PDB file of all heavy atoms in Angstrom:
ATOM      1  N   MET G 208     -86.151 -51.356 -99.401  1.00 98.00           N
ATOM      2  CA  MET G 208     -86.204 -50.064-100.121  1.00 98.00           C
ATOM      3  C   MET G 208     -84.965 -49.233 -99.950  1.00 98.00           C
ATOM      4  O   MET G 208     -84.415 -48.662-100.891  1.00 98.00           O
ATOM      5  CB  MET G 208     -87.446 -49.272 -99.621  1.00 98.00           C
ATOM      6  CG  MET G 208     -88.765 -49.870-100.103  1.00 98.00           C
ATOM      7  SD  MET G 208     -90.169 -48.913 -99.519  1.00 98.00           S
ATOM      8  CE  MET G 208     -90.119 -47.565-100.584  1.00 98.00           C
ATOM      9  N   VAL G 209     -84.468 -49.163 -98.726  1.00 98.00           N
ATOM     10  CA  VAL G 209     -83.256 -48.396 -98.413  1.00 98.00           C
ATOM     11  C   VAL G 209     -82.041 -48.953 -99.249  1.00 98.00           C
ATOM     12  O   VAL G 209     -81.352 -48.251 -99.878  1.00 98.00           O
ATOM     13  CB  VAL G 209     -82.880 -48.366 -96.911  1.00 98.00           C
ATOM     14  CG1 VAL G 209     -81.597 -47.647 -96.690  1.00 98.00           C
ATOM     15  CG2 VAL G 209     -84.008 -47.699 -96.091  1.00 98.00           C
ATOM     16  N   THR G 210     -81.975 -50.302 -99.230  1.00 98.00           N
ATOM     17  CA  THR G 210     -80.872 -50.946 -99.855  1.00 98.00           C
ATOM     18  C   THR G 210     -80.853 -50.713-101.345  1.00 98.00           C
ATOM     19  O   THR G 210     -79.826 -50.473-101.976  1.00 98.00           O
ATOM     20  CB  THR G 210     -80.937 -52.485 -99.551  1.00 98.00           C
ATOM     21  OG1 THR G 210     -80.933 -52.645 -98.144  1.00 98.00           O
ATOM     22  CG2 THR G 210     -79.765 -53.283-100.215  1.00 98.00           C
ATOM     23  N   GLU G 211     -82.088 -50.642-101.914  1.00 98.00           N
ATOM     24  CA  GLU G 211     -82.214 -50.343-103.384  1.00 98.00           C
ATOM     25  C   GLU G 211     -81.946 -48.894-103.741  1.00 98.00           C
ATOM     26  O   GLU G 211     -81.677 -48.572-104.863  1.00 98.00           O
ATOM     27  CB  GLU G 211     -83.571 -50.784-103.918  1.00 98.00           C
ATOM     28  CG  GLU G 211     -83.732 -52.276-103.886  1.00 98.00           C
ATOM     29  CD  GLU G 211     -85.210 -52.736-104.116  1.00 98.00           C
ATOM     30  OE1 GLU G 211     -86.060 -51.874-104.120  1.00 98.00           O
ATOM     31  OE2 GLU G 211     -85.488 -53.934-104.204  1.00 98.00           O
ATOM     32  N   ARG G 212     -82.080 -48.023-102.730  1.00 98.00           N
ATOM     33  CA  ARG G 212     -81.964 -46.572-102.954  1.00 98.00           C
ATOM     34  C   ARG G 212     -80.587 -45.931-102.667  1.00 98.00           C
ATOM     35  O   ARG G 212     -80.448 -44.732-102.902  1.00 98.00           O
ATOM     36  CB  ARG G 212     -83.119 -45.804-102.248  1.00 98.00           C
ATOM     37  CG  ARG G 212     -84.420 -45.929-102.947  1.00 98.00           C
ATOM     38  CD  ARG G 212     -85.566 -45.576-102.074  1.00 98.00           C
ATOM     39  NE  ARG G 212     -86.833 -45.648-102.790  1.00 98.00           N
ATOM     40  CZ  ARG G 212     -87.381 -46.769-103.208  1.00 98.00           C
ATOM     41  NH1 ARG G 212     -86.887 -47.984-103.000  1.00 98.00           N
ATOM     42  NH2 ARG G 212     -88.589 -46.761-103.853  1.00 98.00           N
ATOM     43  N   VAL G 213     -79.681 -46.752-102.109  1.00 98.00           N
ATOM     44  CA  VAL G 213     -78.385 -46.140-101.888  1.00 98.00           C
ATOM     45  C   VAL G 213     -77.309 -47.029-102.597  1.00 98.00           C
ATOM     46  O   VAL G 213     -77.542 -48.273-102.766  1.00 98.00           O
ATOM     47  CB  VAL G 213     -77.975 -46.010-100.408  1.00 98.00           C
ATOM     48  CG1 VAL G 213     -78.871 -44.967 -99.717  1.00 98.00           C
ATOM     49  CG2 VAL G 213     -78.108 -47.369 -99.636  1.00 98.00           C
ATOM     50  N   THR G 214     -76.187 -46.479-102.957  1.00 98.00           N
ATOM     51  CA  THR G 214     -75.170 -47.236-103.565  1.00 98.00           C
ATOM     52  C   THR G 214     -74.183 -47.842-102.623  1.00 98.00           C
ATOM     53  O   THR G 214     -73.255 -48.638-102.996  1.00 98.00           O
ATOM     54  CB  THR G 214     -74.392 -46.460-104.615  1.00 98.00           C
ATOM     55  OG1 THR G 214     -73.696 -45.324-103.997  1.00 98.00           O
ATOM     56  CG2 THR G 214     -75.333 -45.809-105.704  1.00 98.00           C
ATOM     57  N   VAL G 215     -74.148 -47.260-101.417  1.00 98.00           N
ATOM     58  CA  VAL G 215     -73.252 -47.838-100.343  1.00 98.00           C
ATOM     59  C   VAL G 215     -74.036 -49.073 -99.701  1.00 98.00           C
ATOM     60  O   VAL G 215     -75.249 -49.151 -99.642  1.00 98.00           O
ATOM     61  CB  VAL G 215     -72.852 -46.814 -99.246  1.00 98.00           C
ATOM     62  CG1 VAL G 215     -71.988 -45.749 -99.835  1.00 98.00           C
ATOM     63  CG2 VAL G 215     -74.087 -46.246 -98.580  1.00 98.00           C
ATOM     64  N   PRO G 216     -73.195 -50.068 -99.168  1.00 98.00           N
ATOM     65  CA  PRO G 216     -73.889 -51.238 -98.647  1.00 98.00           C
ATOM     66  C   PRO G 216     -74.695 -50.905 -97.372  1.00 98.00           C
ATOM     67  O   PRO G 216     -74.226 -50.101 -96.462  1.00 98.00           O
ATOM     68  CB  PRO G 216     -72.734 -52.190 -98.318  1.00 98.00           C
ATOM     69  CG  PRO G 216     -71.494 -51.500 -98.528  1.00 98.00           C
ATOM     70  CD  PRO G 216     -71.790 -50.169 -99.191  1.00 98.00           C
ATOM     71  N   THR G 217     -75.793 -51.580 -97.248  1.00 98.00           N
ATOM     72  CA  THR G 217     -76.552 -51.629 -95.954  1.00 98.00           C
ATOM     73  C   THR G 217     -76.171 -52.843 -95.222  1.00 98.00           C
ATOM     74  O   THR G 217     -75.988 -53.898 -95.859  1.00 98.00           O
ATOM     75  CB  THR G 217     -78.045 -51.549 -96.169  1.00 98.00           C
ATOM     76  OG1 THR G 217     -78.444 -52.719 -96.956  1.00 98.00           O
ATOM     77  CG2 THR G 217     -78.526 -50.310 -96.918  1.00 98.00           C
ATOM     78  N   ILE G 218     -76.141 -52.720 -93.924  1.00 98.00           N
ATOM     79  CA  ILE G 218     -75.735 -53.923 -93.062  1.00 98.00           C
ATOM     80  C   ILE G 218     -76.838 -54.046 -92.031  1.00 98.00           C
ATOM     81  O   ILE G 218     -77.007 -53.204 -91.219  1.00 98.00           O
ATOM     82  CB  ILE G 218     -74.399 -53.702 -92.369  1.00 98.00           C
ATOM     83  CG1 ILE G 218     -73.327 -53.319 -93.451  1.00 98.00           C
ATOM     84  CG2 ILE G 218     -73.942 -54.861 -91.567  1.00 98.00           C
ATOM     85  CD1 ILE G 218     -71.929 -53.000 -92.926  1.00 98.00           C
ATOM     86  N   GLY G 219     -77.584 -55.216 -92.111  1.00 98.00           N
ATOM     87  CA  GLY G 219     -78.778 -55.308 -91.289  1.00 98.00           C
ATOM     88  C   GLY G 219     -78.555 -56.094 -90.049  1.00 98.00           C
ATOM     89  O   GLY G 219     -77.741 -56.988 -89.955  1.00 98.00           O
ATOM     90  N   ILE G 220     -79.374 -55.679 -89.057  1.00 98.00           N
ATOM     91  CA  ILE G 220     -79.499 -56.536 -87.832  1.00 98.00           C
ATOM     92  C   ILE G 220     -80.973 -56.355 -87.407  1.00 98.00           C
ATOM     93  O   ILE G 220     -81.457 -55.249 -87.146  1.00 98.00           O
ATOM     94  CB  ILE G 220     -78.505 -56.115 -86.702  1.00 98.00           C
ATOM     95  CG1 ILE G 220     -78.776 -56.958 -85.455  1.00 98.00           C
ATOM     96  CG2 ILE G 220     -78.451 -54.630 -86.349  1.00 98.00           C
ATOM     97  CD1 ILE G 220     -77.613 -56.937 -84.398  1.00 98.00           C
ATOM     98  N   GLY G 221     -81.761 -57.458 -87.511  1.00 98.00           N
ATOM     99  CA  GLY G 221     -83.174 -57.268 -87.333  1.00 98.00           C
ATOM    100  C   GLY G 221     -83.756 -56.496 -88.475  1.00 98.00           C
ATOM    101  O   GLY G 221     -84.763 -55.757 -88.184  1.00 98.00           O
ATOM    102  N   ALA G 222     -83.251 -56.567 -89.651  1.00 98.00           N
ATOM    103  CA  ALA G 222     -83.788 -55.782 -90.774  1.00 98.00           C
ATOM    104  C   ALA G 222     -84.027 -56.679 -91.956  1.00 98.00           C
ATOM    105  O   ALA G 222     -84.166 -56.183 -93.105  1.00 98.00           O
ATOM    106  CB  ALA G 222     -82.732 -54.706 -91.106  1.00 98.00           C
ATOM    107  N   GLY G 223     -84.134 -57.954 -91.762  1.00 98.00           N
ATOM    108  CA  GLY G 223     -84.518 -58.869 -92.876  1.00 98.00           C
ATOM    109  C   GLY G 223     -83.411 -59.265 -93.754  1.00 98.00           C
ATOM    110  O   GLY G 223     -82.282 -58.861 -93.575  1.00 98.00           O
ATOM    111  N   PRO G 224     -83.736 -59.965 -94.806  1.00 98.00           N
ATOM    112  CA  PRO G 224     -82.708 -60.614 -95.637  1.00 98.00           C
ATOM    113  C   PRO G 224     -82.226 -59.814 -96.834  1.00 98.00           C
ATOM    114  O   PRO G 224     -81.335 -60.266 -97.546  1.00 98.00           O
ATOM    115  CB  PRO G 224     -83.410 -61.928 -96.161  1.00 98.00           C
ATOM    116  CG  PRO G 224     -84.821 -61.475 -96.241  1.00 98.00           C
ATOM    117  CD  PRO G 224     -85.089 -60.497 -95.113  1.00 98.00           C
ATOM    118  N   HIS G 225     -82.726 -58.577 -97.018  1.00 98.00           N
ATOM    119  CA  HIS G 225     -82.411 -57.923 -98.283  1.00 98.00           C
ATOM    120  C   HIS G 225     -81.276 -56.941 -98.137  1.00 98.00           C
ATOM    121  O   HIS G 225     -80.879 -56.271 -99.124  1.00 98.00           O
ATOM    122  CB  HIS G 225     -83.677 -57.109 -98.757  1.00 98.00           C
ATOM    123  CG  HIS G 225     -84.914 -57.988 -98.838  1.00 98.00           C
ATOM    124  ND1 HIS G 225     -84.958 -59.048 -99.725  1.00 98.00           N
ATOM    125  CD2 HIS G 225     -86.030 -58.083 -98.118  1.00 98.00           C
ATOM    126  CE1 HIS G 225     -86.139 -59.677 -99.583  1.00 98.00           C
ATOM    127  NE2 HIS G 225     -86.807 -59.099 -98.615  1.00 98.00           N
ATOM    128  N   CYS G 226     -80.642 -56.820 -97.041  1.00 98.00           N
ATOM    129  CA  CYS G 226     -79.503 -55.933 -96.887  1.00 98.00           C
ATOM    130  C   CYS G 226     -78.254 -56.501 -97.530  1.00 98.00           C
ATOM    131  O   CYS G 226     -78.236 -57.695 -97.871  1.00 98.00           O
ATOM    132  CB  CYS G 226     -79.168 -55.649 -95.403  1.00 98.00           C
ATOM    133  SG  CYS G 226     -80.533 -54.831 -94.529  1.00 98.00           S
ATOM    134  N   ASP G 227     -77.290 -55.697 -97.849  1.00 98.00           N
ATOM    135  CA  ASP G 227     -76.118 -56.132 -98.513  1.00 98.00           C
ATOM    136  C   ASP G 227     -75.176 -56.966 -97.557  1.00 98.00           C
ATOM    137  O   ASP G 227     -74.513 -57.862 -98.027  1.00 98.00           O
ATOM    138  CB  ASP G 227     -75.321 -54.968 -99.042  1.00 98.00           C
ATOM    139  CG  ASP G 227     -76.178 -54.126-100.013  1.00 98.00           C
ATOM    140  OD1 ASP G 227     -76.580 -54.605-101.036  1.00 98.00           O
ATOM    141  OD2 ASP G 227     -76.429 -52.954 -99.644  1.00 98.00           O
ATOM    142  N   GLY G 228     -75.248 -56.600 -96.330  1.00 98.00           N
ATOM    143  CA  GLY G 228     -74.474 -57.373 -95.306  1.00 98.00           C
ATOM    144  C   GLY G 228     -75.367 -57.573 -94.151  1.00 98.00           C
ATOM    145  O   GLY G 228     -76.518 -57.062 -94.024  1.00 98.00           O
ATOM    146  N   GLN G 229     -74.851 -58.358 -93.204  1.00 98.00           N
ATOM    147  CA  GLN G 229     -75.560 -58.644 -91.886  1.00 98.00           C
ATOM    148  C   GLN G 229     -74.586 -58.436 -90.769  1.00 98.00           C
ATOM    149  O   GLN G 229     -73.364 -58.675 -91.002  1.00 98.00           O
ATOM    150  CB  GLN G 229     -76.132 -60.046 -91.833  1.00 98.00           C
ATOM    151  CG  GLN G 229     -77.210 -60.368 -92.830  1.00 98.00           C
ATOM    152  CD  GLN G 229     -78.522 -59.649 -92.571  1.00 98.00           C
ATOM    153  OE1 GLN G 229     -78.900 -59.319 -91.413  1.00 98.00           O
ATOM    154  NE2 GLN G 229     -79.239 -59.235 -93.628  1.00 98.00           N
TER     155      GLN G 229
END
Side-chain angles (χ1 to χ4, degrees):
M208 288 180 76
V209 175
T210 302
E211 288 168 355
R212 281 163 177 71
V213 293
T214 63
V215 292
T217 58
I218 305 176
I220 176 163
H225 307 295
C226 296
D227 302 296
Q229 294 291 327

